[in-house]
Amino acid sequence: MTTATVTTHFKMIFISVLLLEVALLLAMNGMAIFVHDPTEVVKNSISTCSTLATAGFGAICGLIGGKAIN
């Protein structure tokens, strides 16, 4: 069984993507909870945050999968 070494560069990228993911999820949930009568702009913002959060989750899975293969 081989072990994967985690470099500081990988940690920096992983933590950056994770923090952006958390920020997007907080923004999306904050807009959904605190905006009582959402306009079209708010709805589009929530949709954009959702799309970017999904892409961020894919990036995290890709980073972990790529490190496991290496």
Side-chain angles (χ1 to χ4, degrees):
M1 182 172 177
T2 61
T3 58
T5 58
V6 179
T7 63
T8 55
H9 188 255
F10 178 83
K11 287 180 188 177
M12 181 182 65
I13 293 171
F14 185 81
I15 290 172
S16 298
V17 171
L18 187 65
L19 289 175
L20 284 170
E21 177 86 15
V22 170
L24 285 166
L25 289 173
L26 287 174
M28 181 178 65
N29 288 328
M31 284 186 281
I33 291 171
F34 295 116
V35 177
H36 297 291
D37 202 14
T39 63
E40 195 63 34
V41 173
V42 174
K43 290 178 186 177
N44 287 339
S45 297
I46 292 171
S47 176
T48 301
C49 286
S50 175
T51 303
L52 291 174
T54 303
F57 180 74
I60 289 172
C61 291
L63 284 168
I64 293 172
K67 185 54 81 173
I69 290 174
N70 238 346

